[in-house]
Amino acid sequence: MSEVVMDLNTDIKQVLKALKIKDLNPGFSTGSKDGIGSGDSIGSYSPVDASLIASVGSCGKEDYDRVITQAEEAFVEWRKWPAPKRGEVVRQLGDALREKKEPLGKLVSYEMGKSLQEGLGEVQEMIDICDFAVGLSRQLYGLTMHSERPLHRMYEQYHPLGIVGIVSAFNFPVAVWSWNTMLAWVCGDVCVWKPSEKAPISGVACQNIVKEVFEANGVPEGVSCIVQGNYTVGEFMTADKRVPLVSATGSIRMGKKVAAAVGSRLGKTLLELGGNNAVIITENADLNISIVGALFGAVGTCGQRCTSTRRLIIHESVYDEVKNSLVKAYAQLRIGNPLDESNHVGPLIDKQAVDAYLNALEQVKAEGGTIVVEGGVLEGEGYESGCYVKPAIAEAQNHFKIVQQETFAPILYLLKYSTMEEAIAIQNGVDQGLSSAIMTTNLRQAELFLSYAGSDCGIANVNIGTSGAEIGGAFGGEKETGGGRESGSDAWKVYMRRQTNTINYSTELPLAQGIKFDI
């Protein structure tokens, strides 16, 4: 294992060099340039091997205000650029990300702990949203309509909002930022990003890539800003009237605080919060794809996706077969260094996440559940960080308090049902409403699941799992998931303000609704 670590460290140094992060010393700071901050140092320690990757300076209030002022000034110029010209800059950024896909993907994997394939996939999502945004830059359509008044024209158009504040989470340290920024940029907004303090170096790498492209195109300085720090930096943003839209990804508890703070000043929020996602496996399911879908959904990213499968709702006629197949599949999982592509599962993000995982396993047993696949923390060579855990399976009831909560860890709860109506009621019987799926070859079951009487989630899939979304569709959920939509479809509209225009080209001034006002 020592040889692997030595090679890994050498490789990470090369990765950081390729991304222009130049120093690995414990005291290293990216400094105050570009709004990163000159305050206390935040060290990013990899959950892979507990090594310090680098440190960044956190933002104080003065740093933050300087960044916002710069962003305000940049917006005045950036909004004048034609949208297709802004799209051309984003196209070039997509090409730059293609060139940096391998090192950025490795950094994401090493800093966050997800598998290398998932890290590379996250960068591919960034590339894909760039492509989407380029086309969008020529499709920011308004709407024309007929006026009730003669010789009048009515239409609706969209204008950029201004500063878009983005608060991202550690589990997708770069992709979710790109979902917001690429759309906001082609819409004419400027962006101020607070990356997760658990994955700040990936944020610095993105800013370095953006900076090169923007400078080459003469983009005003301040169109892309980054502010590092803990929750206090986010509080600066949520309380700031100069930031009309705050897009925040994270826990439900965090989202409620953001919504209250931004709502108190009548600002706009885009919230992507917790998920408690379920897959229904019917008696008509193709069990081969059902097991694969459930397995990746439950253990991918070590259960740290907002779309991770938490609950498996299984028809009683196939319950034992599904359970036994999952037990066999879990026995074959390889847990270890996520940069080793032979491993399926990497570490949790930190010791706090490990504690939450262990507490959840204890709680499900205390509430009467049965552990089917034992969990636990892995120790020994290769697991020195203390963040590697065994994916676990438990038989439970949907009303258990622990089942009603989202535990960001690889714990899968098995639930049994007898009728389709019961399965849908179990699926919907949680406070969260992000992603859902049904496994069935029965057309009626599939259509019922997708109907008004079916899943109440923002995402409802048939014969694929809950995890993994394409950027072409709007991403988001209902209930305590927040109700926001990011990425594709018409999600661009949240980054703009809508304006109705009426033009009178007659020599009269008729009033609407036939009102007379003669003098």
Side-chain angles (χ1 to χ4, degrees), residues 91 105 145 162-163 210 212 219 252 290 308 324 370 396 402 437 440:
R91 184 196 66 78
M145 62 210 76
I163 299 175
V210 169
E212 284 192 1
V219 174
I252 291 169
S290 298
S308 290
N324 292 336
T370 303
I402 190 60
T440 183

Side-chain angles (χ1 to χ4, degrees), residues 48 55 84 103 109 137 149 197 247 272 329 345 356 378 472 474 480:
V48 174
S55 301
S109 177
S137 69
R149 290 168 282 188
E197 61 269 34
S247 174
E272 297 289 355
V345 184
L378 293 168
E480 288 195 351

Side-chain angles (χ1 to χ4, degrees), residues 47 50 81 90 93 124 127 164 210 230 246 253 295 330 336 376 392 411 418 440 472:
W81 287 40
V90 170
L93 183 52
Q124 186 61 48
I127 296 166
V164 174
V210 169
N230 60 20
V246 175
R253 185 174 68 88
L295 184 65
Y330 269 57
I411 303 174
S418 57
T440 183

Side-chain angles (χ1 to χ4, degrees), residues 247-264:
S247 174
T249 303
S251 69
I252 291 169
R253 185 174 68 88
M254 179 274 285
K256 288 180 177 179
K257 290 183 177 180
V258 170
V262 178
S264 69

